[in-house]
Amino acid sequence: MQNGALRVYPLQDKDLSVNTLKEYWSFNVHDNDYGQIQGICSSYDDRFLITCGGDGNIFTFNILSPEDVHKELKAKIPSPRSGLEKEKATEDIEDPNAYNIEEVKQKKEYERIMKEAEEKKTKKREELIALRHEFLFLLQKNQELPKHMQLHREQYEMDHRIFEELDRQTAQRIQLVQKELAWEHEKHLIGLQKLRNQFRDSLEFDTVVVHAIQSNHQISTYRLLAMSEKYYQDKERPSWKRTVLKRAWKQAEKREIVRETSHARTFEGEAEKLKTSEVRKPTTHYIGSKHEQIRRIVEKSDKVKAKIMKRKAEWDELYKSKPSDDYENPKDVEDIREAQENMGCYKLKTAPNYRVPKHKRMNTEKKVMQLTSLEVLIHKRKVNMNKEIMSLRDLKISIIDKIKCLVQELKSIQTALDLSERLPLPPIPQLYPDEVPEKKFEYDSDVLLKFKEEQEAKAKLQEQLEGSPSSCAFRHGFLRAPSIKEIDPMAQAAGARPMKIASSVVTEQRKVFEIEKAEPTEMELEISKREKIKNLYLQETLIKKIKALVINFDAELRFLRHKKLKLDVQMKSADLRYITWYEELLILKNLEKHETLLQGRVDTLISEQEAMRSKLNSYLAQMEDRKSEIVKLQECEKALYANFQASLGENNEFAHFLTKVLKKKIKCMEKKEVGREADEEDENEEENDDESSLGIDEENSGSEDEVFDDSLCPKNCNEALFRNTMQLRHKRLDIEKALTEEKKVAANLRKKYNALAKKAKVVETSLDTAEMELETFQWEKQQRLNELYVVVPLKLHQVEYLVNGEMPSDFSQALVFTNQSLEYLQKRMVDLHNEKIMQREIYKKAQEQHKQLVQDKKEMDINIRRLEEKCSHLMMKKFGRLVDFEAVQAHSVNIRMEELEVQIMEKEYVHSQELQEWEERILDLRQQLMKLTKENTSKLQQLNRFCLEKQQLETKLDSLKNDLGVEFQGTRTTDIKEKARLESRLKHMARNTALLREEINLLSRKDGCLREELALLSRKDGCLFLQPLSPQDSEPPTETFPVLTP
């Protein structure tokens, strides 16, 4: 009743035995898996049977008597069956992929075919095994034969083409399988690459645990991800220092190259000078000495002038360096400013009057840089520690290799010792799997085959659990090749027998050839004893070596573990700092927008202020230029009046009239008003204009008293003096006009400067307010940052904040200082005390020095006055007047005249050289003329020979003219052509002779028309005329002569 089935047994009252219970009826009404019958009972009148199961169902059955059965049931009741408990209960087909009847038939057919194929395979394998045994037996027999009767391995091959065909078929099958698996192979490779990119490539260091050999200590690396490309770009980005250094290096290299080239040029110039100096003549030496003399004179005068100018500059510098009454030493001012900037603000950041300095103001960019630098530093420290741990692991691997070698050597030594003398072998340490985690991802064919076997074993177990194994084979494919492991056991069994036979033969041969050993002698005993002592010593030393290696490695591991623990503490504090900085970054990002607005406003105001300052400076420079121009014009006006007074002379009766003429104004009212306005604005110009204003007042007063005519010169007055006065008046008017214009420009510049100065003050006030707002915002931001909690790990001995000798529970009023800052504060207190004492001593020394300097100044003034009086007395005594010695020293010879004399000498020398060259050219031309005349005479002789030959040929032709028609009746074309050729040649020779005659006639003439007539000749039918340059050209002149060409 476990499966929910109900059994009904037919019983009889008479025959109650075990055999009667074999036959029964079975009813499956409840669920087969969860319908276990929990209760069964009949009704009080035994007419109904009630069952209840674990599936929650209740069934009722009618119990009929034999009479009722025949009446009510029309169908025939089957007879009860026996042995149903042994039969397997039929299962419901719930799998949607279950086979239908056709598939079952195909499966049975496939199984039959596979069974027949397996039987054939087994038969073939048995035949192959028998052949192998027979082959091995033949090989063994072959080995037992003498060597000269043994067959070689190549002689066993009946036909080498069989193996070639087999190799070819296997290669084709392998290639076919590779093609079939190419897509799957590429697919799995891409999947593997994706997994590596996702999980392995981003990992710079995996967790590697290095274990100690004798203890339980261990150390592990940090699991680190590779830094992103952004950090590498920041590292590779060249800093401004590197760029500046590179530029400096390039400039230095360029300077060195320029110096080298200049040195080379100087060397070349010196060499050329040496060469030319050897060829120079006395005139050039004289000119060079003259140049050198002039150069020395000029240098001497220049040195004197430079010395005078240097002395004047020194005096000017000395007077300029004279401090004013309110002078402050710039060094003291710089020291005060540096002290104010660098002595630091020791106010608490939580104080209301704390101001954040500019170099300590923090923004998002700086904070991000801090975070990245901290992250890079943490990564760097962890990488360095990982490298040390990996080197320790490599050390362990090398130690294991050394121990293996030493143990092998120890085993070889212990083979020569007795068992009682052998010490126990030290254990060889092994690498743990977590020490080489990279081997998890390394695989070869053996690993893959092992993995395949494991997967197949798992699949077989799953098939056994699910059902018959043939179903999976039918689903996956109809053909399946036999695995290697099905064949391998047979081959191993076949190959084991001959190996056993061969080993038995070898042992028998050893027994046969074994020689009985004789008893050892005393010498052999002594040698064996020594070897024994040596082996014992080597055994102990090797064991000690192994122990030393192990102990040293464990010590290195413990030391590195202690170092890593310290680094872990530092890394934990760095992580806490990173968290704090990240919280600060979030606060800064929230406040960034308002800060950028305020900072932008401050920057715009600063740029405006700088622009206004530059404009103000330009206005001041222009005003200074105008003032200097005004001063120059006023000096010109004073010089004009002085010239006028000098032209008048003493006791001139027309001085008053000429003065009025000079000072008379023409249309200058506007100029006077503008001048008065400019005088009101600039007080310094009033002092310089006293003389001109007085002259104008006199003129106005004079013009009021009387009216005079300045167009005519009065009687008995010098007309030249009158005209000079009129010219001076025009010049004065021009100067006054220019002066009024300059004053107008100066007044306009003053107005613009004042307006711009007011605007600059407004901008400065707004900039101050903006900076105050920015400072208050920075203070508020600092207060927001101060609200964050910062973790500071402290030890109890570092806490010095005690209340009544006890540690308080509230540390809100305490301050945390680093040891360096606390030592700095203590040292600074001592330094300030010492500095105060030193400054007092310096002040006392300065007072004493001031008194001494005042006294020395008085003495020097007295000495200077005495020397000046003595110098003036000596000059009056010697020269009769005061002389300017600087002008006398600066005076030198007339350098221009000396230079012109030298130039004249150089020109004369150059002209003499040119004359000499022309003479040499004339000689060359004369020689060429003689040569040409000789050539022409030879040509005339040749012409005579040609003429004689011509006469002879003509006579021959005349004699042959009559005989030509006798031999040949008709004229031949070749004779005609030959005749024409000879006639043309004769004409040509006639022309040549005519030309030669003309040339001879020209050459025979001795007048100056030779060159003109030769120039008229031209080339005619084979004659080439050469026309050289004239004698005035740079090249040597040659005559024009015809050259005959054949």
Side-chain angles (χ1 to χ4, degrees):
M1 292 185 284
Q2 296 291 329
N3 57 357
L6 184 66
R7 293 182 182 178
V8 179
Y9 294 89
L11 300 177
Q12 295 179 3
D13 296 336
K14 296 178 181 180
D15 189 8
L16 293 173
S17 63
V18 180
N19 295 325
T20 57
L21 296 175
K22 290 181 180 179
E23 298 177 354
Y24 59 87
W25 289 283
S26 178
F27 300 95
N28 291 320
V29 289
H30 292 280
D31 190 74
N32 293 332
D33 295 325
Y34 309 103
Q36 182 181 1
I37 295 174
Q38 303 291 337
I40 186 170
C41 64
S42 62
S43 62
Y44 66 95
D45 55 353
D46 295 331
R47 291 184 63 187
F48 299 95
L49 182 69
I50 300 166
T51 62
C52 61
D55 56 352
N57 294 325
I58 299 172
F59 292 97
T60 59
F61 300 92
N62 292 327
I63 300 173
L64 300 176
S65 61
E67 295 82 11
D68 295 330
V69 170
H70 293 290
K71 289 180 181 178
E72 295 184 6
L73 293 177
K74 296 180 180 179
K76 185 179 179 181
I77 297 171
S79 59
R81 298 171 61 189
S82 61
L84 288 174
E85 65 275 3
K86 295 179 181 179
E87 293 182 3
K88 203 169 187 181
T90 57
E91 297 177 357
D92 293 336
I93 300 172
E94 297 177 355
D95 189 6
N97 297 323
Y99 301 127
N100 52 22
I101 297 169
E102 185 64 27
E103 287 177 350
V104 170
K105 288 180 180 179
Q106 290 179 3
K107 184 179 133 183
K108 286 181 179 179
E109 185 66 22
Y110 172 72
E111 287 177 353
R112 185 182 64 76
I113 292 166
M114 292 300 293
K115 189 176 180 181
E116 291 176 357
E118 288 294 330
E119 288 175 357
K120 288 180 181 179
K121 285 178 184 178
T122 51
K123 287 178 182 179
K124 290 288 184 184
R125 284 168 188 162
E126 288 173 359
E127 291 175 1
L128 287 170
I129 289 165
L131 289 171
R132 281 175 185 167
H133 288 323
E134 188 177 355
F135 182 69
L136 291 170
F137 183 70
L138 291 172
L139 284 174
Q140 187 178 355
K141 277 188 175 182
N142 188 27
Q143 288 178 358
E144 290 174 358
L145 292 171
K147 284 189 177 180
H148 65 280
M149 296 177 67
Q150 288 180 4
L151 294 174
H152 294 289
R153 190 71 178 176
E154 292 83 6
Q155 294 176 357
Y156 287 100
E157 294 182 4
M158 300 298 293
D159 191 359
H160 64 88
R161 290 175 293 180
I162 296 170
F163 291 100
E164 292 177 358
E165 183 65 23
L166 289 172
D167 293 337
R168 189 181 62 78
Q169 289 179 1
T170 52
Q172 285 181 355
R173 289 175 184 173
I174 289 166
Q175 191 175 3
L176 184 62
V177 171
Q178 286 177 353
K179 286 181 180 179
E180 289 175 355
L181 297 176
W183 188 85
E184 288 289 334
H185 180 260
E186 190 66 25
K187 177 185 174 184
H188 293 307
L189 274 179
I190 292 168
L192 180 62
Q193 189 63 36
K194 285 182 179 178
L195 290 172
R196 280 178 180 169
N197 293 336
Q198 185 69 24
F199 299 104
R200 293 295 300 170
D201 292 348
S202 61
L203 193 66
E204 188 174 357
F205 279 100
D206 201 355
T207 305
V208 178
V209 182
V210 182
H211 296 268
I213 297 172
Q214 287 183 341
S215 61
N216 294 326
H217 295 98
Q218 61 183 20
I219 184 171
S220 63
T221 60
Y222 295 102
R223 192 173 188 274
L224 290 177
L225 295 175
M227 299 291 285
S228 62
E229 294 180 358
K230 180 179 70 176
Y231 299 113
Y232 292 116
Q233 289 174 0
D234 294 337
K235 287 180 183 178
E236 292 173 359
R237 192 176 296 160
S239 61
W240 63 273
K241 292 182 180 179
R242 291 179 184 173
T243 53
V244 169
L245 288 172
K246 285 181 181 178
R247 288 175 186 172
W249 292 338
K250 288 180 180 178
Q251 289 177 0
E253 288 177 357
K254 288 179 181 178
R255 288 172 186 168
E256 288 178 359
I257 292 164
V258 170
R259 284 175 186 171
E260 289 176 358
T261 53
S262 64
H263 284 307
R265 287 174 184 172
T266 52
F267 292 148
E268 290 175 359
E270 288 176 0
E272 289 177 358
K273 285 178 183 177
L274 290 171
K275 289 178 182 178
T276 53
S277 63
E278 293 176 357
V279 186
R280 281 181 181 176
K281 293 182 179 180
T283 53
T284 57
H285 287 294
Y286 179 72
I287 292 166
S289 63
K290 205 70 171 164
H291 275 296
E292 187 68 23
Q293 186 179 359
I294 294 165
R295 188 181 62 77
R296 286 174 185 172
I297 293 166
V298 171
E299 284 181 357
K300 188 176 179 181
S301 62
D302 290 339
K303 283 180 182 178
V304 172
K305 288 179 182 178
K307 194 174 180 182
I308 293 165
M309 294 300 292
K310 185 179 178 182
R311 196 181 299 131
K312 284 182 180 180
E314 287 176 356
W315 278 108
D316 293 338
E317 287 291 329
L318 185 63
Y319 282 120
K320 284 180 182 177
S321 63
K322 183 180 179 181
S324 59
D325 296 333
D326 55 350
Y327 172 75
E328 291 182 357
N329 192 0
K331 186 179 178 183
D332 296 338
V333 174
E334 184 66 24
D335 292 339
I336 292 166
R337 186 184 63 77
E338 188 176 356
Q340 289 175 353
E341 290 179 356
N342 299 325
M343 76 178 178
C345 180
Y346 295 101
K347 296 176 184 177
L348 294 176
K349 291 183 179 179
T350 55
N353 59 348
Y354 176 75
R355 290 289 176 266
V356 184
K358 289 184 179 180
H359 66 279
K360 288 186 178 180
R361 288 178 182 177
M362 190 58 63
N363 53 13
T364 54
E365 187 177 356
K366 290 181 181 178
K367 188 57 69 177
V368 168
M369 289 174 67
Q370 276 187 355
L371 287 171
T372 52
S373 62
L374 180 61
E375 193 171 350
V376 170
L377 185 62
I378 290 168
H379 186 269
K380 189 176 178 182
R381 297 288 294 276
K382 286 183 177 180
V383 165
N384 292 333
M385 179 53 68
N386 285 349
K387 287 179 180 178
E388 291 182 7
I389 294 169
M390 295 301 288
S391 63
L392 186 67
R393 188 192 70 172
D394 297 338
L395 178 64
K396 184 176 181 180
I397 292 168
S398 64
I399 285 170
I400 288 170
D401 294 336
K402 286 180 183 178
I403 290 171
K404 284 180 181 178
C405 296
L406 292 172
V407 167
Q408 193 68 25
E409 190 177 352
L410 188 61
K411 285 180 180 178
S412 64
I413 291 167
Q414 285 184 353
T415 53
L417 295 172
D418 295 334
L419 291 173
S420 60
E421 294 173 349
R422 294 178 185 176
L423 295 175
L425 291 171
I428 298 172
Q430 300 294 330
L431 287 174
Y432 292 88
D434 53 358
E435 287 182 335
V436 282
E438 63 270 10
K439 287 190 177 180
K440 293 179 183 178
F441 305 99
E442 295 177 0
Y443 57 89
D444 53 3
S445 59
D446 297 334
V447 175
L448 293 174
L449 289 171
K450 188 177 178 182
F451 178 73
K452 185 180 178 181
E453 289 173 3
E454 290 176 358
Q455 293 294 323
E456 287 178 355
K458 287 180 182 178
K460 284 180 181 179
L461 286 173
Q462 193 173 1
E463 286 175 1
Q464 288 175 3
L465 292 172
E466 289 179 356
S468 62
S470 61
S471 61
C472 292
F474 183 75
R475 287 180 193 177
H476 291 292
F478 288 96
L479 296 174
R480 184 174 65 88
S483 62
I484 298 166
K485 293 198 173 182
E486 291 175 355
I487 303 168
D488 285 343
M490 299 177 185
Q492 288 173 3
R497 292 176 185 175
M499 291 297 291
K500 287 179 181 178
I501 294 163
S503 62
S504 63
V505 170
V506 171
T507 52
E508 286 175 0
Q509 287 176 357
R510 284 182 182 176
K511 286 178 181 178
V512 170
F513 293 105
E514 192 174 13
I515 301 169
E516 293 182 358
K517 293 182 180 179
E519 292 182 0
T521 60
E522 292 180 0
M523 183 67 72
E524 290 176 351
L525 288 171
E526 186 67 26
I527 291 167
S528 64
K529 190 176 180 181
R530 287 183 181 181
E531 287 180 355
K532 185 178 179 181
I533 293 166
K534 181 183 176 182
N535 290 331
L536 288 171
Y537 174 73
L538 289 173
Q539 183 181 4
E540 289 177 0
T541 53
L542 289 174
I543 290 169
K544 284 180 182 178
K545 240 184 223 183
I546 292 168
K547 287 181 180 178
L549 287 171
V550 172
I551 289 165
N552 290 332
F553 174 75
D554 289 349
E556 288 285 338
L557 189 138
R558 286 194 296 273
F559 176 73
L560 192 61
R561 182 170 172 271
H562 182 67
K563 189 177 177 181
K564 186 175 179 290
L565 288 173
K566 286 184 179 179
L567 184 63
D568 288 338
V569 174
Q570 294 176 2
M571 291 298 105
K572 188 58 69 177
S573 63
D575 291 338
L576 293 170
R577 189 179 299 172
Y578 188 87
I579 292 166
T580 306
W581 286 359
Y582 188 74
E583 291 176 351
E584 291 179 358
L585 179 63
L586 294 176
I587 293 170
L588 290 171
K589 280 185 177 178
N590 292 330
L591 301 174
E592 184 180 9
K593 189 174 180 181
H594 188 54
E595 185 180 4
T596 50
L597 289 173
L598 291 174
Q599 190 65 42
R601 186 181 171 192
V602 170
D603 293 338
T604 52
L605 289 171
I606 288 169
S607 62
E608 287 179 6
Q609 190 180 21
E610 289 177 353
M612 287 182 179
R613 282 179 182 173
S614 63
K615 283 184 180 179
L616 288 171
N617 293 328
S618 65
Y619 285 154
L620 282 173
Q622 291 177 10
M623 288 168 68
E624 290 293 330
D625 294 339
R626 296 304 103 196
K627 284 182 181 179
S628 63
E629 290 291 332
I630 289 167
V631 170
K632 286 180 182 178
L633 291 171
Q634 288 174 354
E635 288 177 355
C636 290
E637 191 175 3
K638 288 179 183 178
L640 188 142
Y641 279 109
N643 190 9
F644 175 69
Q645 292 294 334
S647 63
L648 284 176
E650 296 180 358
N651 300 321
N652 193 342
E653 57 183 1
F654 296 100
H656 183 68
F657 175 76
L658 293 174
T659 304
K660 284 184 178 181
V661 170
L662 179 65
K663 292 182 179 180
K664 184 179 179 181
K665 282 199 171 185
I666 301 168
K667 297 180 182 180
C668 60
M669 294 301 293
E670 295 178 358
K671 181 173 69 176
K672 186 170 71 175
E673 290 175 1
V674 173
R676 288 176 183 175
E677 289 178 0
D679 291 337
E680 289 176 0
E681 291 179 357
D682 197 352
E683 295 178 358
N684 295 327
E685 293 174 0
E686 290 180 359
E687 296 176 358
N688 297 327
D689 295 341
D690 287 335
E691 294 180 2
S692 61
S693 61
L694 287 170
I696 292 165
D697 292 336
E698 290 176 0
E699 181 186 351
N700 293 333
S701 62
S703 62
E704 290 174 359
D705 294 335
E706 58 180 349
V707 179
F708 64 95
D709 187 9
D710 57 349
S711 60
L712 298 173
C713 179
K715 293 180 179 180
N716 300 326
C717 182
N718 192 0
E719 292 184 1
L721 184 61
F722 183 75
R723 285 196 297 274
N724 187 22
T725 305
M726 294 296 288
Q727 290 175 1
L728 290 173
R729 186 177 72 178
H730 289 301
K731 287 182 181 178
R732 183 186 65 80
L733 291 172
D734 293 337
I735 290 168
E736 286 181 356
K737 186 177 179 181
L739 191 63
T740 52
E741 289 177 357
E742 292 292 335
K743 286 181 180 178
K744 278 183 183 179
V745 173
N748 291 329
L749 288 172
R750 175 69 67 179
K751 287 179 183 178
K752 289 180 181 179
Y753 180 80
N754 293 331
L756 195 62
K758 289 179 183 178
K759 288 182 181 179
K761 287 181 181 178
V762 173
V763 171
E764 189 174 358
T765 53
S766 60
L767 179 61
D768 293 335
T769 55
E771 285 181 349
M772 287 297 294
E773 289 178 1
L774 186 60
E775 285 182 359
T776 54
F777 176 76
Q778 292 289 341
W779 182 80
E780 292 174 358
K781 184 170 72 174
Q782 187 64 44
Q783 296 304 316
R784 291 280 299 275
L785 295 175
N786 291 338
E787 292 175 1
L788 295 174
Y789 290 102
V790 181
V791 179
V792 182
L794 294 173
K795 296 179 181 178
L796 290 175
H797 71 275
Q798 292 176 327
V799 179
E800 297 183 1
Y801 178 64
L802 302 175
V803 178
N804 298 325
E806 295 180 355
M807 190 180 293
S809 59
D810 185 15
F811 286 94
S812 60
Q813 299 299 321
L815 294 174
V816 180
F817 283 95
T818 60
N819 293 327
Q820 294 177 355
S821 59
L822 191 62
E823 290 173 1
Y824 174 75
L825 287 173
Q826 293 172 355
K827 184 182 175 184
R828 186 62 182 158
M829 290 170 64
V830 177
D831 292 341
L832 287 171
H833 182 68
N834 296 330
E835 191 176 349
K836 190 175 180 182
I837 295 167
M838 187 176 67
Q839 289 294 330
R840 285 178 181 174
E841 293 177 356
I842 290 169
Y843 182 70
K844 287 180 182 179
K845 289 180 181 178
Q847 280 186 338
E848 293 175 359
Q849 189 179 2
H850 179 69
K851 290 178 182 178
Q852 185 66 32
L853 288 171
V854 169
Q855 188 176 357
D856 293 342
K857 183 184 175 185
K858 289 179 181 178
E859 292 177 358
M860 290 295 290
D861 289 337
I862 293 166
N863 194 13
I864 287 165
R865 282 198 296 273
R866 183 176 58 78
L867 291 172
E868 284 178 352
E869 289 174 0
K870 186 178 178 180
C871 182
S872 60
H873 177 69
L874 289 171
M875 279 195 287
M876 291 297 294
K877 189 176 180 181
K878 189 172 184 180
F879 302 109
R881 63 188 181 90
L882 299 176
V883 180
D884 188 3
F885 280 102
E886 291 181 355
V888 173
Q889 288 177 354
H891 182 69
S892 62
V893 297
N894 193 351
I895 297 166
R896 180 61 183 164
M897 187 177 72
E898 296 290 334
E899 288 178 353
L900 288 172
E901 287 180 358
V902 172
Q903 285 179 5
I904 289 166
M905 293 174 70
E906 287 178 353
K907 290 287 185 184
E908 287 178 353
Y909 177 70
V910 170
H911 289 318
S912 65
Q913 291 290 329
E914 286 182 0
L915 286 170
Q916 189 175 357
E917 287 177 1
W918 280 109
E919 287 176 358
E920 290 176 357
R921 286 185 183 181
I922 289 165
L923 289 172
D924 293 337
L925 290 171
R926 283 177 180 174
Q927 290 177 1
Q928 289 178 7
L929 181 62
M930 290 174 68
K931 188 177 179 181
L932 288 170
T933 52
K934 288 178 181 180
E935 288 178 357
N936 285 322
T937 53
S938 64
K939 287 178 181 178
L940 284 170
Q941 293 173 2
Q942 187 180 2
L943 182 62
N944 289 326
R945 287 197 301 271
F946 287 159
C947 290
L948 293 172
E949 287 178 3
K950 181 183 176 185
Q951 288 176 2
Q952 291 175 3
L953 290 170
E954 284 177 352
T955 54
K956 284 181 181 180
L957 284 171
D958 292 335
S959 63
L960 291 172
K961 274 182 182 180
N962 298 323
D963 298 335
L964 289 173
V966 178
E967 294 179 359
F968 302 100
Q969 293 298 325
T971 59
R972 294 176 64 183
T973 56
T974 55
D975 296 337
I976 294 166
K977 288 180 180 179
E978 185 66 22
K979 185 178 179 181
R981 186 179 66 78
L982 291 171
E983 287 177 356
S984 64
R985 186 172 180 182
L986 285 170
K987 289 178 182 179
H988 183 68
M989 291 175 70
R991 281 198 296 271
N992 288 338
T993 53
L995 289 170
L996 286 170
R997 282 173 185 170
E998 290 177 2
E999 188 177 354
I1000 289 163
N1001 293 327
L1002 290 170
L1003 288 170
S1004 60
R1005 294 176 64 183
K1006 294 182 179 179
D1007 54 355
C1009 301
L1010 177 63
R1011 191 174 179 279
E1012 294 177 359
E1013 291 177 358
L1014 286 173
L1016 294 172
L1017 296 175
S1018 61
R1019 184 173 180 176
K1020 296 179 181 179
D1021 298 324
C1023 294
L1024 180 64
F1025 290 89
L1026 302 174
Q1027 294 180 358
L1029 297 171
S1030 63
Q1032 287 79 10
D1033 297 331
S1034 61
E1035 293 182 1
T1038 58
E1039 298 295 337
T1040 305
F1041 299 107
V1043 179
L1044 294 174
T1045 56

